[in-house]
Amino acid sequence: MQIDNTTLQDLAIFHADEDQSVLNRLNFCQTFGGRQWLHYFLSHPHNTEKQILDTQYILKTIIRHLDHWPQHITNGTVMVMQRFYESQIDKIPARPGITDAFFYRIFHGPDFGLIKYTVGHSIDFVKGMVYLTQLLDGEDIPAPLKRVLNDISSLLKPDILQQMHLQDKQNMSNATMLKYGHYLLYHCKEKIKQLIEHFSKLDAWYSMAKASEVYKLQFPTFTSDQRPYIAAEGLYHILLQTPVAYNLEMSHDNNFIFLTGANMAGKSTFIKSVGLAIYLAHVGMAVPAKNMELTLFHGLLSNIQVADNIVKGESYFFNEVQRIKNTILKINDGQKWLVLIDELFKGTNVQDAMRCSSAVIKGLLKIENSLFILSTHLYEIGEDLKPYPNIAFRYFETHVTDTQLSFSFQLKDGISNDRLGYLILQREGVVDMIEKL
C-alpha cells in the first residue's frame, strides 16, 4: 500500500506527543530495538495479500503463546550486552583456571565486575532465545517467522553458547565466567549483534500481538474482488478511551460518502477511524472493529491537516489545491485507492469554496475504482450532487437543549442542517464578552 508522510501524520501513526501516537498506543515492546522495528512495520504497509496474511499468521501464532513469552529479556539486558562491546576491558585470558581467575579479580577488579555482570545477562539472553525457538517453532508457521527462528538456531549452535544455555549462573565459577566473557568479547560480537536484531524483530511482532489481545482487536478478512470494497461492523478509533462504534459499507456502486455535521459532532474522528483501520489491516495487524472485510488497496491518501508554508510564501488555500491536484494525479491510475478529505477548501470564502468543492467532488465521482469519504460544512452543495447514483449522504446529528449541545456520534442517512457556530459562541460566553467591550 502506498502512503505518504502527510497521511501518516493525518492518521497520527507517529506523533511528537506520544499520547496522540498510534505507535505509542501499540507499543508493548520490551526493548528499544523492538520499538524501532515496530516503527518500521508501521511505516511499511504490505503490497500483497500474501504478505498481509503471513503477518497475520505470525501475530496469531504469538497470541497463542503470550502467557509464556519470556519476560527476562529486557531493554536493560540488551543494553548491558551492547555496552560491553563499547568498553575498554583489560585482556581476558583465553583458558582461565582458578589461579587466573583469582589474579584477574584482584588486579582487574572493575573489569572483572563488568564481565561478571555482562555474562549473567548474556546467559539470560541465550536461555531466552533458545526458549523462543522452542516456543514458536512448528511444522506450520509462516515463512518470515521460520527464517528468523532458523537463523537464531544457527547462531546459537556453537558449543560454548549451548553451555551458557545450560549454565546455572548462580553456581558458576569465576574461571567459567571468564571463559564465557572471553568468548563473548573476542569471538561472538557479530553473533550477539545478529541475535539482538532478531529478538528486536520478534519483540515488535510480540508488541503487535499483545496490542491485539489487550485492545480486543479483530483480524480483518481480505476479499479478492477487483473492485474496492469495505464492510466493517463496530469500527472505532483506537486512541479514544471511550469510543463510539460505527458500521460502514462502501463498494464500487456506493464509493463516495458525503459527510456533514456540526463541529465536534464526530466527522473527523470517523474519517480517521476508517483510515486507520484500513491502514492497520494492510500492516497485517488486527483492527479496532468487531469484524471487517475489505479488498487490498493500492494506496491511501488523506487531506485532513493541510497547513500554509510561510517560508515558501504559500497560502493555506494554495496548499489545499496542490494536495487535491497531487491526489488526482496519483489516483487516476485505475488502481484501488482510499481517499479521505476533511473540510475541503477551508482557506477561501464560502462562495468560492462551494464552487471549488462542487467541481472537485463531481470530478472524483468519475473515478470508479477508488473509495472516497469527504466531510464538509458546505451543506448546500449536497442538493446538486443527489442525482449521482454512487454518492451516499451521511451526517452526524447534534441535539440542542437551550444552549447545551449533545452529540450522539451516530452516523445517519442524509445531510445535516445544523448551523451551530453562533450558538457555541454564545455558550462559551464570547458573545457576552464582546457586548461588554
Side-chain angles (χ1 to χ4, degrees):
M1 169 184 269
Q2 290 190 27
I3 192 165
D4 59 13
N5 289 330
T6 298
T7 305
L8 287 173
Q9 181 177 342
D10 282 346
L11 298 180
I13 305 298
F14 313 111
H15 199 285
D17 183 349
E18 288 196 346
D19 289 338
Q20 300 181 47
S21 165
V22 174
L23 170 65
N24 185 64
R25 184 72 166 167
L26 301 178
N27 181 25
F28 289 87
C29 295
Q30 298 172 193
T31 65
F32 179 73
R35 191 181 189 280
Q36 289 180 313
W37 267 104
L38 180 61
H39 188 289
Y40 178 86
F41 288 148
L42 290 180
S43 57
H44 291 79
H46 298 307
N47 296 314
T48 68
E49 186 175 341
K50 183 182 185 307
Q51 291 172 321
I52 292 171
L53 294 180
D54 277 351
T55 300
Q56 285 189 2
Y57 196 9
I58 289 171
L59 302 186
K60 290 175 182 178
T61 301
I62 293 175
I63 286 172
R64 291 197 300 271
H65 300 292
L66 281 177
D67 291 341
H68 303 287
W69 194 265
Q71 299 297 315
H72 58 274
I73 300 181
T74 65
N75 196 56
T77 294
V78 172
M79 288 179 64
V80 166
M81 295 166 65
Q82 290 173 329
R83 289 178 179 175
F84 181 62
Y85 294 106
E86 300 169 1
S87 303
Q88 297 297 318
I89 297 174
D90 292 340
K91 186 172 179 60
I92 306 171
R95 297 178 179 82
I98 296 175
T99 304
D100 295 318
F102 175 79
F103 282 112
Y104 196 90
R105 182 177 183 180
I106 295 298
F107 294 107
H108 309 279
D111 289 346
F112 180 90
L114 177 60
I115 296 165
K116 183 176 182 179
Y117 191 60
T118 302
V119 168
H121 279 286
S122 299
I123 288 173
D124 287 339
F125 180 75
V126 169
K127 288 178 181 289
M129 295 300 281
V130 171
Y131 176 76
L132 279 173
T133 61
Q134 297 169 346
L135 181 70
L136 299 176
D137 199 9
E139 295 181 2
D140 185 26
I141 60 173
L145 178 59
K146 187 71 173 178
R147 285 194 295 269
V148 171
L149 296 178
N150 286 345
D151 203 13
I152 291 172
S153 296
S154 178
L155 290 166
L156 291 172
K157 276 184 178 179
D159 289 341
I160 196 162
L161 291 180
Q162 292 299 313
Q163 293 171 24
M164 291 175 69
H165 166 233
L166 299 173
Q167 179 69 51
D168 177 3
K169 67 178 184 179
Q170 303 301 325
N171 296 304
M172 176 173 54
S173 69
N174 289 338
T176 299
M177 182 271 294
L178 286 179
K179 180 183 73 171
Y180 293 152
H182 182 277
Y183 178 77
L184 290 172
L185 186 59
Y186 303 120
H187 304 289
C188 201
K189 181 178 180 179
E190 285 305 311
K191 285 186 175 64
I192 293 296
K193 182 179 178 181
Q194 292 176 56
L195 285 168
I196 289 174
E197 191 67 11
H198 284 315
F199 179 77
S200 297
K201 197 171 194 177
L202 290 172
D203 194 20
W205 280 330
Y206 162 81
S207 180
M208 296 162 74
K210 181 73 172 179
S212 301
E213 186 76 2
V214 169
Y215 303 130
K216 303 187 186 308
L217 310 181
Q218 301 298 319
F219 286 97
T221 301
F222 281 82
T223 70
S224 57
D225 294 349
Q226 296 303 306
R227 301 296 184 102
Y229 179 71
I230 301 171
E233 179 187 1
L235 173 69
Y236 62 94
H237 200 295
I238 195 172
L239 291 182
L240 297 181
Q241 295 300 321
T242 54
V244 174
Y246 317 103
N247 295 333
L248 173 72
E249 185 168 1
M250 299 183 72
S251 65
H252 167 260
D253 297 325
N254 187 19
N255 72 323
F256 200 112
I257 290 180
F258 184 86
L259 183 63
T260 54
N263 283 325
M264 303 184 294
K267 301 189 302 298
S268 297
T269 300
F270 170 72
I271 289 174
K272 292 175 183 178
S273 298
V274 175
L276 181 57
I278 300 303
Y279 185 74
L280 291 178
H282 284 74
V283 169
M285 271 204 65
V287 301
K290 286 185 178 179
N291 56 71
M292 173 178 277
E293 188 175 6
L294 72 159
T295 53
L296 189 73
F297 282 85
H298 180 69
L300 193 163
L301 288 172
S302 67
N303 186 338
I304 298 175
Q305 299 178 28
V306 177
D308 57 4
N309 191 319
I310 296 175
V311 175
K312 292 184 178 180
E314 296 172 353
S315 70
Y316 186 96
F317 178 71
F318 178 81
N319 281 333
E320 282 188 298
V321 172
Q322 291 301 308
R323 183 66 178 168
I324 289 297
K325 176 183 175 181
N326 293 332
T327 296
I328 293 171
L329 287 172
K330 279 192 173 183
I331 68 177
N332 194 27
D333 59 1
Q335 302 281 356
K336 294 192 287 289
W337 290 80
L338 175 63
V339 180
L340 309 171
I341 303 173
D342 190 20
E343 299 295 348
L344 189 58
F345 299 127
K346 298 187 286 287
T348 188
N349 65 75
V350 173
Q351 294 301 320
D352 205 22
M354 288 174 61
R355 185 179 179 185
C356 294
S357 297
S358 183
V360 167
I361 293 171
K362 289 176 181 178
L364 295 178
L365 284 167
K366 298 176 185 177
I367 301 175
E368 299 180 350
N369 218 38
S370 292
L371 302 183
F372 303 88
I373 302 177
L374 180 145
S375 76
T376 182
H377 280 110
L378 306 175
Y379 308 157
E380 295 83 356
I381 64 176
E383 289 299 322
D384 194 33
L385 299 172
K386 286 184 176 178
Y388 291 86
N390 55 322
I391 191 168
F393 298 93
R394 301 286 185 269
Y395 76 101
F396 285 102
E397 187 177 39
T398 304
H399 298 283
V400 182
T401 305
D402 295 327
T403 59
Q404 298 302 311
L405 306 179
S406 62
F407 307 99
S408 67
F409 303 111
Q410 296 298 321
L411 205 56
K412 296 193 172 186
D413 293 333
I415 299 174
S416 172
N417 288 312
D418 294 332
R419 287 167 171 80
L420 304 173
Y422 188 78
L423 180 61
I424 294 173
L425 209 65
Q426 283 183 311
R427 190 191 69 172
E428 296 302 312
V430 177
V431 173
D432 287 340
M433 291 171 63
I434 291 171
E435 290 175 350
K436 293 176 182 178
L437 290 176

